[in-house]
Amino acid sequence: MDAWIPITIAAAFLQNLRSALQKHLRGRLGTRGASFVRFGYGFPLALAYVAALHLGLGYGLPAPGLDFALWAVIGGLAQIYATILLVHLFSLRNFAVGTAYSKTEPVQAALFGFLLLGERLSAGAVMAIAVGVVGVMLISIARAPLSWRTLGAALFGRTALIGIASGAIFGMSAVAYRSAALALEGPNAVMQAAVTLACVTGFQTVYMLIWMLIRDRQEIIRVAQSWRSSALVGLSGVLGSACWFTAMALQPVAYVRALGQVELVFTFAASFFLFKERVNRLELLGCLLIVSGILGLLLN
């Protein structure tokens, strides 16, 4: 099995864990605060990860250049705003459906990857991604009454548009991160991904701290007071990001993000067992289509 496959599955699991913890925090923190903890508490861990690779395993430190800095800033800003949209989405729909809307990302990542990096996909991979996206859309309309009006609202209403926008910005962020990692001339993909993660997380921490100092200083106090839960978000977030960055340094973004839709399987488990949210048959069918799309992707 290629290394990027188990790395991506681990990333999806950790991302789901982080989102579940962020949903829990959303009751005590505002949208900005619940989004910030992912970066602020993750930054020291990202630095420790780079230090462990450099001092423990002897990997050399790559020298970032202007291209790296540009892609890192683009990716970092895109991830901040995509995360804010996703956290806001949790307040509009349940945890599973909120995540499902953002999972249109693989198609959008494939488009950005083609436009920005010239990455092409096989016909079989395109079909597999399409099956997965159909599953996502089924999940998004599963709780809407069956009429053209309600169907249109479910697919093109405010909630759907916020979710799709979140997926698009996440897709842009993923392509930018792959570009940043590839711009580094490091010893291997693992070190390139680690340095990219540390630099991006540091930038995001400073950016959001300044933003909260200007807009809502009390939110910084609330973030500090919730340090136990917030530290878990930071830990799961930085571990998940390390896996995502490594997988995307090894494989085109569209493949990685398409396989990452396995997160929805973990999401439904969290939705049912942690948040006691009911899952209906159409949502289960959508989940099965997503798994089918993932299996088709791996076969191709």
Side-chain angles (χ1 to χ4, degrees), residues 54-111:
H54 179 57
L55 300 176
L57 299 180
Y59 293 165
L61 289 172
L66 184 59
D67 286 351
F68 168 82
L70 177 62
W71 284 118
V73 168
I74 292 172
L77 289 175
Q79 189 178 32
I80 286 173
Y81 289 104
T83 301
I84 287 173
L85 286 175
L86 183 60
V87 172
H88 177 60
L89 196 61
F90 292 151
S91 66
L92 302 178
R93 293 293 297 271
N94 71 31
F95 180 63
V97 178
T99 304
Y101 275 122
S102 70
K103 289 304 169 186
T104 55
E105 178 191 351
V107 171
Q108 301 179 83
L111 178 61

Side-chain angles (χ1 to χ4, degrees), residues 103-147:
K103 289 304 169 186
T104 55
E105 178 191 351
V107 171
Q108 301 179 83
L111 178 61
F112 289 128
F114 173 73
L115 294 176
L116 299 177
L117 302 178
E119 296 176 342
R120 296 178 182 273
L121 307 179
S122 68
V126 172
M127 288 291 292
I129 291 173
V131 169
V133 171
V134 170
V136 169
M137 300 314 295
L138 274 180
I139 290 170
S140 69
I141 65 172
R143 296 180 182 272
L146 293 179
S147 71

Side-chain angles (χ1 to χ4, degrees), residues 15-37:
Q15 179 166 299
N16 179 72
L17 176 61
R18 188 212 70 226
S19 294
L21 291 169
Q22 279 181 307
K23 178 180 172 67
H24 177 70
L25 274 176
R26 182 63 180 83
R28 287 179 285 168
L29 302 177
T31 300
R32 278 189 294 268
S35 302
F36 168 79
V37 296

Side-chain angles (χ1 to χ4, degrees), residues 119-201:
E119 296 176 342
R120 296 178 182 273
L121 307 179
S122 68
V126 172
M127 288 291 292
I129 291 173
V131 169
V133 171
V134 170
V136 169
M137 300 314 295
L138 274 180
I139 290 170
S140 69
I141 65 172
R143 296 180 182 272
L146 293 179
S147 71
W148 289 111
R149 183 175 181 179
T150 55
L151 185 62
L155 292 176
F156 305 106
R158 178 169 173 260
T159 303
L161 293 177
I162 291 174
I164 292 169
S166 173
I169 301 171
F170 270 128
M172 185 185 303
S173 172
V175 172
Y177 288 153
R178 173 168 167 79
S179 300
L182 294 178
L184 289 175
E185 296 183 0
N188 52 50
V190 173
M191 192 59 171
Q192 288 169 238
V195 171
T196 302
L197 173 63
C199 292
V200 167
T201 309

